[in-house]
Each structure stands twice: as C-alpha cells, then as structure tokens.
DNA sequence: CTGTTAGCGCTTTCAT
DNA sequence: ATGAAAGCGCTAACAG
C-alpha cells in the first residue's frame, strides 16, 4: 500500500492538516515543519490520492472528449487528429488529462458521456462535431448546457446556447465549388465523408441556386475494403462518361487515392482535371505531387481554443457563451487550371 | 448538486447499504425493495460518484497509455494510431477508459506516469515503445513492475520482467534489407524515424556482417518544415550520385513523399528504384501508386493484446509475465524488381 | 501557525 | 434480508 497523508504526517511529526497545507500552499506553515513535511513527502514519494481529494473538491482534473464515431474513421482523419493534438496540448499545459469517450454503436441513441458527467469522472466535456443532430446525445448535451455544466461543442451547432468553436464547413465547401466555377468548370465531382452528408445538402442547394449552370456530382464515401478500386471506378466514370473537369474533396485522406488513380487513368492534373482539397494540417497539400490547392481549416487551433474555453469555464465559471468561428485560408498551388468553355 | 446514494435511499425508503447492494448485486435484496430502489435510481438518473466508490475500492476503471513523444509525431504515425485503436477497442469492451499520458519535454528525465500511478488515477499502465532505454522513465517502469503494478510494455524490452508485446523491429528491418539483397541490390537507402535510431544500429551491424558487399545508407528523418524538399534532396543524391537502387522505409508516412519525388525526378518505380515499406494497417501499401511491397506489422492487434493482458493483470492479478511476440507478414506487390549486377 | 474534527459518497463488515 | 456504523484519504472549518 502506498503511503497516505497519515504516514507523511507521522514521519514529519505534524498533523495531517499541516501536510495538506504544505501540499496545497493553502495556508502559511512554519518553515521547519514545512521542511520536515517536504522531507517526508520525498521519502515516501507521496502523491495525494485523487479519490480522497476528489471526494471533497469534487473535481478530477480530467476532461472528456466525446466522439460519436467508429474509432477507425476517427483515427484516420487528419481533422480529428489535429483536433486532438490541439486539445491535448492545452489540457496538458493546464494540468488536465484527456479521456476519450467513444460512441461507436447506436449513434442515434447513445449518450455515453452522460455517465462520465454523472459519475464525476470528468470536470468538463468537449463534444466533437460528429454528434448527430436530433440524436439522444444532442438532447443530453443540451441538458448539460442548460444545467451550466462546462462544455464546448466543436462543429456546427443547431442551438445558440453553450460554447461553440466552428470552422464553417458549409462556407468553405461552397467556396471550393465557387473557385472551380470562377475559372470555368461546370461539372464538379465531390468526394464527401459519410458523416458530412447532412451538411453538404445545404451547400448543394446554395450551389444550385447561385450557380445554376454548374452540375455537382456527389460521391459519399463510406468505409470500404478496396477504396483504390472504388475511387478508380468513380473517377473513371465521372471524368470520362459524365464529363467532370474538377474534383473536390473534403479531406486530405483521399487525395493520394485521387492523384494516383488519375495518373493511372491517364488523367493529367491539372491539364485534364482540376483538384481542390481541404487540408487540416498546414501545407499538407503542398507536399503532394503535384501540389494541391486547398482550404486550410485550422483544426489544431480549433482544438486549442476549445480546450482553453473549457478550462476557463471549469475554473472560473461560465460567464457568457463563447462562439468562436475560425476562418479558413485558401492556398493556390498547382492543381487548378482554367477551363475554356467548349 | 446531483443525487447521491442518500437521496436514492430516502426515496426508495431503504438504507444506503441496500441501495449499494442492488447497484452492485453484492447481496440478495428483497424483490419489492429492489424495484423501489431501481425506480429511485431511474428517477434521479443516479450514477454512483466515482470518488466515493474509488475511495473504498481503490480503482478508477482508467488505464494510462504513456507516450514519451511529441504529440505531433505521435499522431502522425500510423503505428501509434493503430496501436491506440486496438487499445481503445478492448478497453471499451471491458468498460475501462483510456487516459493519454504524454511526455514531450525531458524525455530522459521525465516519468509523468508515476504521478498517475501514485495518485491512483489509473488502474494500470501501457507503455509505448517510445520510452528511452536508460531513461528515468525506464527506471520508474522497472520499479512499478517489481512492485507488482499492472503494466504492459509495447516494444523492445531490455529487461525480462513484466508483460511485453513486441513485433521484432530489428528482425523485419533486417528482412527488408535482405529482400533487396536477395534480388541483387547492393546499395540501399533507408529512411528512418529519429526515434528508431537506437534500434537500427543493431540492424546495421548485422547487415554488415551477413551481407558484407551491401552498402547501407541511413537517413534519419527528424521533424522538418519542408519534408518534400528534404526527401527530394536525399533521393536525388542517393540515387544519382551514390548509386542506390533501393529505398526502404519504416513507416508508410513517408511513402507518398518518396513516390512523388521519384516521379518528379524521373526515377521509375520499380524499374529504376525498388521500394519496400512497413505498413501498420492492412493493405496500406496496396493503395499506393504503384502498389508498394511492405512488411505488415499488426499494430492494432498489438494494442488489443496489450490491453487484454493489462486488464487480465488488473482484474485477476499477475500470475506470470506475458511475452507476446507478433509476426510480421511480407506482401509482395509491384515495387521491387530484380537488379542485374552490372 | 497548527491540531482536532466533520464530512465528501461509497462499500463493507457487523449485528440483528 | 437489511440497517447501523466504520472507514477509505483528503480538505476545510473551527478552535485554540
């Protein structure tokens, strides 16, 4: 059994409260006693038991990160990875730990984070945009917010309460299409994550309204055993049969499959096909061959902000809701060319 | 304030011990009282506070995953990602949560996991291979093992005690070179992570001994702002000036940079240069252009095994040390060709 | 400045 | 089968 505060107190010849005082610097303590306590702490390699401390302070120094997603898709997306990096960085700085709360089944009815909250396992909660609108989780989350529990929601929010960090997915996807449109493309293929299905509809509508003579082809990519062949089929079909001259994709994950398949199919970039992607890591597109035009979504920054907001909320109480909208930045590189209308 | 066991007891008209009994099924309870308690639990949406429970049971249902690494490099490596996926999957199944313990500064003197152990924040610890041999962390880890604390070490171990899961890095890297050697290559360039520097030396020695007429060029890649140019320089130099006919790399992360640069430099794969990689995700190499020969290291499987071993250790006590060595599998694809000795 | 004590929420004897 | 009570390790209020 590890040493407890009692052992330390005994060895230092003081009471447990004195030990507690020097541990937490919560009250002035005689110099010599302080030294004795410190010696005893050293000697036992003493660390206060978090259950005891937590029981009285009711905090765990842990923060939950909720992800309603298969872990596979999560850990394959640069977006989440960068988000997590950002979160972890500031959590670490403020001496909090990150607990991942993963919901993989029953995305509609699951709300596993509620248990963590009720069990006091975590002091605050960061929700990742993968939560399904209208799901049980969304409801539970709203309850939490209403109850004043420290939370931050990353991604598109459908309610105005609560802290929110967001990079307008719909905006930059729309911008992407507009980029193509402006240089003459009229038939565009979009590779989209299954999880973004909901959001892309709004984009599609707006496109139909504002660029009536542009035809948008959507390919919703679900997990697949052979993405190589799947992409090849899609690209071949859309480029050769349906006359697409531009491909957009919402994550760098797909870009190598797209580039590689284009090369294999004898489709030149950008001469035959223009490509724009989204990058969640700086200059990611620049490291492709050829360098790919991309919208930079500062995912890591988003994670950092979310964590900072959450910690402020935890430690100082939520004064006002924070709504932080991040800007994306478009980098022109070598993957888009003007399409002469023919 | 959330409901406590007292509130539940009061509403159900029983004592708190009875509530505890029905919660934990730790003793038979009258049917009607059980029903009443369950109703009250429902009503309050009651979840036992983990501090209270933990204080008496001294367990947290949390497991620490220690990573002595910058988080960036961690979350950019498929190896770690797959490892984490595997760990998370089985942890989830056994109702444990994963806490990431990240050591980014002072890799030689840091041992942050010790605090988590002493504070009882975690019930067990998984150490990731990135721990530096001879470091403070290594020492602390050995102490933990000696003290019977539940741990699993993933990666090469320098001591025989404790649970260990391992895919012989040195073996498969040696095999990789041998593959090149067998088909006639005599000048091989290896792209290596900085973190693997220690291990590759042994490989190098063995190569020098067993394949005396093979010349091995090592490029240790540290984090770099412009990997694209860095790789281009390296490849250009080693292929054109130093006559390398084969490139090996220890992680898929680099493969697109290598392939892309080769294409840009007019180096054909596999006609001019043969390539072998390591893949930590099944068929990852098959999705490259061209498909890349690779050694499959079952990182996810390793994570699963590690977690399973750890949980067994936690819940049943460590009977004997588990030493599990995973086999790698070599997939031949289209990136290696015979080199006619000239 | 410091020791004594109550009490955080829970599980687990110990009686009954 | 069940309630009373002890006690897990700690902090904070209180008394001195």
């Amino acid at each position: 059994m590890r040493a407890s505060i009692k052992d330390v107190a005994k060895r230092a010849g003081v009471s447990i409260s004195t030990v507690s005082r020097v541990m937490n610097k919560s009250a002035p303590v005689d110099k010599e006693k302080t030294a004795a306590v410190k010696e005893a702490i050293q000697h036992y390699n003493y660390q206060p038991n978090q259950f005891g401390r937590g029981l009285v302070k009711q905090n765990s120094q842990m923060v939950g990160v909720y992800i309603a997603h298969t872990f596979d898709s999560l850990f394959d997306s640069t977006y989440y990875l960068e988000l997590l990096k950002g979160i972890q960085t500031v959590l670490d700085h403020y001496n909090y730990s990150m607990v991942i709360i993963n919901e993989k089944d029953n995305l509609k009815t699951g709300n596993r984070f509620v248990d963590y909250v009720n069990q006091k396992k975590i002091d605050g909660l960061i929700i990742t945009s993968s939560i399904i609108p209208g799901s049980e989780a969304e409801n539970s989350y709203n309850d939490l917010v209403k109850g004043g529990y420290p939370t931050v929601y990353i991604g598109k929010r459908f309610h105005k309460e609560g802290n929110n960090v967001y990079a307008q997915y719909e905006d930059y996807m729309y911008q992407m299409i507009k980029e193509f449109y402006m240089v003459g493309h009229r038939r565009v293929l979009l590779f989209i994550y299954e999880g973004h299905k909901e959001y892309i509809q709004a984009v599609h509508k707006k496109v139909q309204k504002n660029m009536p003579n542009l035809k948008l082809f959507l390919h919703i990519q679900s997990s697949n055993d052979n993405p190589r062949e799947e992409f090849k089929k899609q690209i071949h079909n859309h480029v050769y049969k349906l006359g697409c001259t531009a491909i957009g994709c919402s994550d760098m994950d797909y870009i190598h499959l797209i580039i590689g398949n284009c090369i294999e199919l004898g489709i030149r970039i950008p001469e035959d096909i223009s490509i724009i992607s989204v990058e969640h890591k700086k200059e990611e597109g620049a490291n492709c061959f050829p360098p790919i035009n991309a919208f930079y979504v500062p995912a890591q920054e988003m994670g950092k902000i979310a964590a900072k907001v959450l910690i402020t909320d935890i430690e100082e109480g939520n004064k006002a809701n924070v709504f932080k909208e991040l800007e994306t930045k478009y980098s022109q590189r070598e993957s888009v060319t003007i399409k002469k209308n023919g």
Side-chain angles (χ1 to χ4, degrees), chain A:
Chain A
M1 190 48 119
R2 307 228 142 245
S4 85
I5 197 171
K6 272 189 196 163
D7 303 303
V8 174
K10 195 171 292 169
R11 175 170 239 263
V14 298
S15 75
I16 59 165
S17 8
T18 300
V19 175
S20 177
R21 285 182 190 111
V22 341
M23 292 283 316
N24 304 305
K25 302 190 212 309
S26 52
V29 172
D30 177 83
K31 241 185 167 183
E32 289 202 4
K33 295 199 174 177
T34 304
V37 169
K38 285 192 169 160
E39 187 281 331
I41 288 173
Q42 277 281 325
H43 176 259
Y44 286 118
N45 217 308
Y46 170 71
Q47 289 277 357
N49 178 314
Q50 292 305 293
F51 295 122
R53 166 174 286 180
L55 200 49
V56 18
K57 310 198 64 143
Q58 292 296 338
N59 76 334
S60 63
Q61 295 291 118
M62 303 242 181
V63 162
V65 177
Y66 182 69
I67 300 147
H69 236 284
T70 69
F71 224 65
D72 260 58
S73 67
L74 157 73
F75 267 0
D76 289 342
S77 155
T78 333
Y79 170 67
Y80 281 111
L81 261 23
E82 291 293 307
L83 218 53
L84 290 180
K85 277 187 211 172
I87 294 171
Q88 168 72 21
T89 304
V90 348
L91 251 36
D92 207 62
H93 180 259
Y94 287 96
N95 212 6
Y96 281 79
S97 304
M98 176 172 82
V99 182
I100 288 171
I101 307 171
N102 181 219
E103 188 101 60
K104 49 179 192 214
D105 315 313
N106 317 321
L107 260 45
K108 282 124 218 146
T109 59
N111 58 357
R112 298 185 55 182
F113 58 86
V114 180
D115 289 349
Y116 282 77
V117 172
N118 285 343
Q119 292 171 177
K120 305 260 184 205
K121 277 193 170 178
I122 54 178
D123 299 339
L125 179 66
I126 296 178
I127 297 268
T128 265
S129 63
S130 52
I131 203 170
I132 296 177
S135 65
E136 192 58 39
E138 175 87 8
N139 292 336
S140 304
Y141 179 72
N142 287 335
D143 289 348
L144 250 30
V145 171
K146 257 176 245 148
Y149 188 81
T151 62
V152 177
Y153 193 106
I154 300 179
K156 186 174 174 65
R157 246 337 236 125
F158 295 96
H159 301 77
K160 45 258 133 271
E161 314 104 294
N163 301 311
N164 191 204
V165 177
Y166 187 28
Q168 298 287 0
Y169 177 86
E170 297 171 11
D171 283 3
Y172 63 75
M173 288 309 283
Y174 179 80
Q175 283 305 321
M176 180 190 286
I177 296 160
K178 195 160 184 191
E179 285 289 333
F180 285 135
Y181 187 80
M182 302 281 275
V183 293
H185 295 272
R186 290 299 177 262
R187 289 173 164 258
V188 177
L189 168 60
L190 235 48
F191 282 100
I192 299 293
Y193 273 130
E194 195 166 18
H196 295 159
K197 218 168 13 180
E198 316 263 353
Y199 310 125
I200 204 69
Q201 300 306 337
V203 179
H204 201 165
K205 283 226 175 71
K206 196 169 163 194
V207 169
Q208 287 175 323
K209 196 181 150 217
N210 297 340
M211 311 174 223
N213 54 346
L214 183 145
K215 180 117 179 66
L216 198 59
F217 299 88
L218 255 43
H219 175 71
I220 314 281
Q221 177 69 9
S222 50
S223 60
N224 187 308
D225 282 342
N226 196 341
R228 185 196 182 91
E229 285 309 311
E230 171 78 16
F231 273 69
K232 172 166 287 173
K233 224 172 57 191
Q234 292 298 332
I235 293 172
H236 183 273
N237 187 43
H238 283 88
V239 173
Y240 287 128
K241 305 232 172 98
L242 300 169
C244 287
T245 58
I247 296 177
C249 79
S250 61
D251 197 306
M252 273 287 154
D253 295 351
Y254 295 151
I255 214 73
H256 295 297
L257 282 172
I258 294 174
I259 295 177
N261 270 312
C262 283
I263 292 174
E264 273 205 0
L265 289 165
I267 301 168
R268 291 163 306 165
I269 307 166
E271 291 84 349
D272 302 324
I273 193 100
S274 290
I275 295 180
I276 302 180
S277 179
V278 174
E279 63 187 12
H280 299 101
K281 202 188 306 184
K282 215 145 197 151
E283 293 304 298
E284 213 178 353
N287 286 319
C288 296
F289 298 83
I292 299 292
N293 290 33
F295 286 85
Y296 172 59
V297 173
Q300 189 162 351
E301 187 65 19
M302 289 167 69
K304 282 185 183 168
I305 293 172
K308 184 72 184 76
V309 169
L310 185 66
I311 288 172
T312 309
D313 199 340
I314 291 172
E315 300 195 337
E316 294 168 24
N318 195 356
K319 293 157 205 355
N321 294 332
V322 175
F323 181 85
K324 178 84 181 170
E325 190 178 327
L326 285 267
E327 304 229 325
T328 72
K329 188 173 149 289
Y330 182 56
S331 292
Q332 297 215 235
R333 296 198 266 247
E334 304 167 22
S335 66
V336 171
T337 193
I338 295 172
K339 172 75 169 61
K340 291 159 195 92
N341 291 13

